[in-house]
Amino acid sequence: MAAHEQFADDLTLYAIGSLPVSEAGQLEQHLDQCGDCRRELEEMRGDVALLALSASGPAPPTRSRERLLSAMKKEPRRQRMLIYHARPWWAVAPVVASLALAIFGLFLWRENRNLREQEAEMQQKQQSLVTELAQTQHDSEQAREMLYMLTSPEVQKVSLSTAKSTPQPVGKAMYLRNKGHLLFMASNLAPLPNSKTYQLWLIPMRGGAPMPAGTFMPDERGGAMVMNPPIPPGTEAKAFAVTVEESPGSEKPTMPMVLMGNTT
Ligand SMILES: [Zn+2]
């Protein structure tokens, strides 16, 4: 069997579709008999195809075949053996590798229309992914900012009312039924002894028992917040209410209700 290295240059050119037909016959005969060279060819083609998808730039240099071959011939024979049969040759010879890879890419870039179409398609997909990602980032930034406004102690929270009235406890519930998401905020709440706690309740639409929806203690200025207590998605709410319970909370609300609000 003819030695592999005799076909090394040819194999490279064959992989990128640049071996003249007159010389290809002998190589193909060798490929029929030599699994090593077939595998090498498969690997080269795989890498070349990937490379072509990412290649861009000016037209390929003239005499690229000659430059590729002469660059390879400068490598000592033993190293070339290694290059072609031990592992991917561009891993061992960076200079040759970068030159040759550039040429591979540009050859295919010019010659394979199908690959160019794939490239355009991939770019389009990439673009729409980028747009989607930007939108997601924008949304989550807004959400983060909102959450910061609602939760940060740095943020000044001011309740406005008529000038003379004593501030009364007020609460606001925001409820997204299909997800069971609930955000509740209250202000002007009276302080409680440590043995007690405020508790939020969801009063279901169809006459079910009030569902516990989180306990909370007001801060020193009477403000409080409950975020996403465990509520089964889809629960229809008729009203929300707040009671005072023994700490750490109760299964049933104890009258009277401190705050109460209907959903409609
Ligand atoms: Zn071989």
Coordinates of all heavy atoms in Angstrom, one line a residue, residues 1-5 7 11 27 30-31 33-38 40 85, ligand 1:
M1 N 0.9 -1.2 0.0 CA 0.0 0.0 0.0 C 0.9 1.2 0.0 O 1.9 1.3 0.7 CB -0.9 0.0 1.2 CG -1.9 1.1 1.2 SD -2.7 1.3 2.9 CE -3.7 -0.2 2.9
A2 N 0.5 2.2 -0.8 CA 1.3 3.4 -0.9 C 1.3 4.1 0.5 O 0.3 4.1 1.2 CB 0.8 4.4 -1.9
A3 N 2.4 4.8 0.8 CA 2.5 5.5 2.1 C 1.5 6.7 2.2 O 1.2 7.3 1.2 CB 3.9 6.0 2.3
H4 N 0.9 6.9 3.4 CA -0.1 8.0 3.5 C 0.5 9.3 3.1 O -0.2 10.1 2.5 CB -0.5 8.1 5.0 CG -1.1 6.9 5.6 ND1 -2.3 6.4 5.2 CD2 -0.7 6.1 6.5 CE1 -2.6 5.3 5.9 NE2 -1.6 5.1 6.7
E5 N 1.7 9.6 3.6 CA 2.2 11.0 3.4 C 2.3 11.4 2.0 O 2.2 12.6 1.7 CB 3.5 11.2 4.2 CG 4.7 10.4 3.7 CD 4.8 9.1 4.5 OE1 3.8 8.6 5.0 OE2 6.0 8.7 4.7
F7 N 0.1 11.2 0.0 CA -1.2 11.8 -0.4 C -1.6 12.9 0.5 O -2.7 13.5 0.4 CB -2.3 10.7 -0.3 CG -2.2 9.6 -1.3 CD1 -1.7 8.4 -0.9 CD2 -2.5 9.8 -2.6 CE1 -1.5 7.4 -1.8 CE2 -2.3 8.8 -3.5 CZ -1.8 7.6 -3.1
L11 N -4.8 15.2 -0.2 CA -6.0 15.0 0.7 C -6.5 16.4 1.1 O -7.7 16.6 1.1 CB -5.6 14.2 1.9 CG -6.7 13.6 2.7 CD1 -7.5 12.6 1.8 CD2 -6.2 12.8 3.9
L27 N -5.8 9.3 -5.7 CA -6.1 9.5 -4.3 C -7.4 8.7 -3.9 O -7.5 8.1 -2.9 CB -6.3 11.0 -4.0 CG -6.8 11.3 -2.6 CD1 -5.8 10.9 -1.6 CD2 -7.2 12.8 -2.4
H30 N -6.6 5.3 -3.3 CA -6.0 5.1 -2.0 C -7.1 5.2 -0.9 O -7.1 4.4 0.0 CB -5.0 6.1 -1.7 CG -4.4 6.0 -0.4 ND1 -3.5 5.0 0.0 CD2 -4.5 6.8 0.7 CE1 -3.2 5.2 1.3 NE2 -3.8 6.3 1.8
L31 N -8.0 6.1 -1.1 CA -9.1 6.3 -0.1 C -10.0 5.0 0.0 O -10.4 4.7 1.1 CB -10.0 7.5 -0.5 CG -9.4 8.9 -0.2 CD1 -10.2 9.9 -0.8 CD2 -9.3 9.1 1.4
Q33 N -9.0 2.1 -0.1 CA -8.3 1.1 0.7 C -7.9 1.5 2.1 O -7.5 0.7 2.9 CB -7.1 0.6 0.0 CG -7.3 0.1 -1.4 CD -6.1 0.2 -2.3 OE1 -5.0 0.4 -1.8 NE2 -6.3 0.0 -3.6
C34 N -7.9 2.8 2.4 CA -7.3 3.3 3.6 C -8.3 4.0 4.5 O -8.7 5.1 4.2 CB -6.1 4.2 3.2 SG -5.4 4.9 4.7
G35 N -8.7 3.4 5.6 CA -9.6 4.0 6.5 C -9.1 5.2 7.2 O -9.8 6.2 7.4
D36 N -7.8 5.2 7.5 CA -7.2 6.4 8.2 C -7.4 7.6 7.3 O -7.8 8.7 7.8 CB -5.6 6.1 8.3 CG -5.4 5.2 9.5 OD1 -6.3 5.0 10.3 OD2 -4.2 4.8 9.7
C37 N -7.1 7.5 6.1 CA -7.2 8.7 5.2 C -8.6 9.1 5.0 O -9.0 10.3 4.9 CB -6.5 8.4 3.8 SG -4.7 8.6 4.0
R38 N -9.5 8.1 5.0 CA -11.0 8.4 4.9 C -11.4 9.2 6.1 O -12.1 10.2 6.0 CB -11.8 7.2 4.7 CG -11.9 6.6 3.3 CD -13.1 5.7 3.1 NE -13.1 4.6 4.0 CZ -12.5 3.5 3.8 NH1 -11.8 3.3 2.7 NH2 -12.5 2.5 4.7
E40 N -9.5 11.0 8.1 CA -8.9 12.3 8.0 C -9.7 13.2 7.1 O -9.9 14.4 7.4 CB -7.4 12.1 7.5 CG -6.6 13.3 7.4 CD -6.1 13.8 8.8 OE1 -6.0 13.0 9.7 OE2 -5.9 15.0 8.9
H85 N -1.6 12.5 10.6 CA -2.1 11.2 11.1 C -2.3 11.1 12.6 O -3.0 10.2 13.0 CB -1.3 10.1 10.6 CG -1.4 9.9 9.1 ND1 -2.5 9.3 8.5 CD2 -0.7 10.3 8.1 CE1 -2.4 9.4 7.2 NE2 -1.3 10.0 6.9
Ligands
ZN1 ZN -3.8 6.5 3.9

